[in-house]
């Protein structure tokens, strides 16, 4: 099934519209993803306080405090208390998927309610002509999100930073000219 429209609303809600189906990723899901990426980027720093994550990401520390228990339940985070306390990833970035993070914070990402539970509780599921469409869409969504790891995101970010560095270097070299080397 072809996605008809993909847009980013001014409120920063990610919305995918397919006919009348609208899937929105909440602030909680987006912030959880940013938090996990931040922890992965600073893994060598040991346990990291929410205060530091919030400051780097421009997020509310109070909001992050609501996300931590959700991520803790999945075993994705390690925590320590007290002075020097904070959080770090309990799994490697290559084991943390966007799908798992979003399912943890959003609940089901199924495009229709009848696919939110297994077995399908819908009394019409055995006679539903459109069920294969929704199952296929659900499979595509989950395969896509589960196929993106935090490591993938970090690798893409580093590649982009390297491209920008090389482009800036090239511009500087062209401005200097051949006589100013």
């Amino acid at each position: 099934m072809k996605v008809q429209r993909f847009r980013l609303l001014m409120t920063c809600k990610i919305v995918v519209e397919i006919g009348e189906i609208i899937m929105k990723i909440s602030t909680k899901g987006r912030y959880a993803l940013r938090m996990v990426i931040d922890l992965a980027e600073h893994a060598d720093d040991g346990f990291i306080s929410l205060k530091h994550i919030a400051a780097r990401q421009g997020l509310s520390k109070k909001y992050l405090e609501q996300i931590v228990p959700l991520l803790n339940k999945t075993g994705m985070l390690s925590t320590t208390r007290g002075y020097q306390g904070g959080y770090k990833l309990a799994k490697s970035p290559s084991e943390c998927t966007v799908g798992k993070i979003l399912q943890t914070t959003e609940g089901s990402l199924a495009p229709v309610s009848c696919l939110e539970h297994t077995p399908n509780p819908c009394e019409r599921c055995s006679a539903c002509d459109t069920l294969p469409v929704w199952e296929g869409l659900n499979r595509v969504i989950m395969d896509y999100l589960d196929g993106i790891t935090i490591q993938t995101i970090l690798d893409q970010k580093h590649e982009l930073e390297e491209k920008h560095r090389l482009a800036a270097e090239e511009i500087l070299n062209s401005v200097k000219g051949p006589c100013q080397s």
Side-chain angles (χ1 to χ4, degrees):
M1 171 162 257
K2 187 175 179 181
V3 174
Q4 293 174 343
R5 285 184 278 168
F6 177 80
R7 61 187 162 118
L8 184 58
L9 297 178
M10 295 305 289
T11 59
C12 287
K13 290 183 180 175
I14 296 173
V15 177
V16 178
E17 290 186 24
I18 302 162
E20 294 298 312
I21 299 170
I22 298 177
M23 178 176 79
K24 293 182 183 180
I25 305 300
S26 71
T27 301
K28 190 177 289 185
R30 294 189 329 271
Y31 286 10
L33 186 55
R34 287 170 59 185
M35 178 182 173
V36 172
I37 292 168
D38 188 275
L39 288 170
E41 283 183 303
H42 296 91
D44 294 339
D45 298 345
F47 288 94
I48 301 168
S49 72
L50 288 182
K51 176 182 167 184
H52 288 108
I53 297 168
R56 280 193 297 261
Q57 294 296 318
L59 304 174
S60 158
K61 180 180 173 247
K62 287 276 187 202
Y63 207 93
L64 292 178
E65 288 171 351
Q66 296 173 31
I67 294 169
V68 165
L70 299 172
L71 295 174
N72 266 337
K73 286 180 187 176
T74 66
M76 198 172 292
L77 299 182
S78 291
T79 63
T80 186
R81 294 177 185 239
Y83 182 73
Q84 303 288 329
Y87 303 89
K88 68 179 184 176
L89 289 181
K91 298 178 179 182
S92 76
S94 61
E95 294 177 288
C96 301
T97 68
V98 171
K100 182 65 174 173
I101 294 165
L102 293 180
Q103 282 180 314
T104 299
T105 56
E106 304 293 318
S108 173
L109 299 173
V112 290
S113 60
C114 66
L115 294 178
E116 291 177 353
H117 305 285
T118 304
N120 188 331
C122 180
E123 58 194 44
R124 288 193 28 82
C125 79
S126 62
C128 182
D129 294 335
T130 60
L131 184 60
V133 172
W134 309 131
E135 289 171 335
L137 177 59
N138 191 48
R139 195 171 31 258
V140 168
I141 290 169
M142 293 316 303
D143 287 349
Y144 177 73
L145 295 175
D146 287 337
I148 303 171
T149 67
I150 298 304
Q151 188 62 56
T152 304
I153 293 170
L154 292 177
D155 292 346
Q156 289 173 344
K157 178 182 178 183
H158 293 133
E159 284 176 26
L160 188 59
E161 287 171 346
E162 181 64 11
K163 276 184 182 178
H164 288 150
R165 186 190 68 73
L166 292 172
E169 191 175 284
E170 188 175 314
I171 290 169
L172 286 174
N173 288 336
S174 69
V175 170
K176 283 182 183 177
C179 297
Q180 296 180 359
S181 296

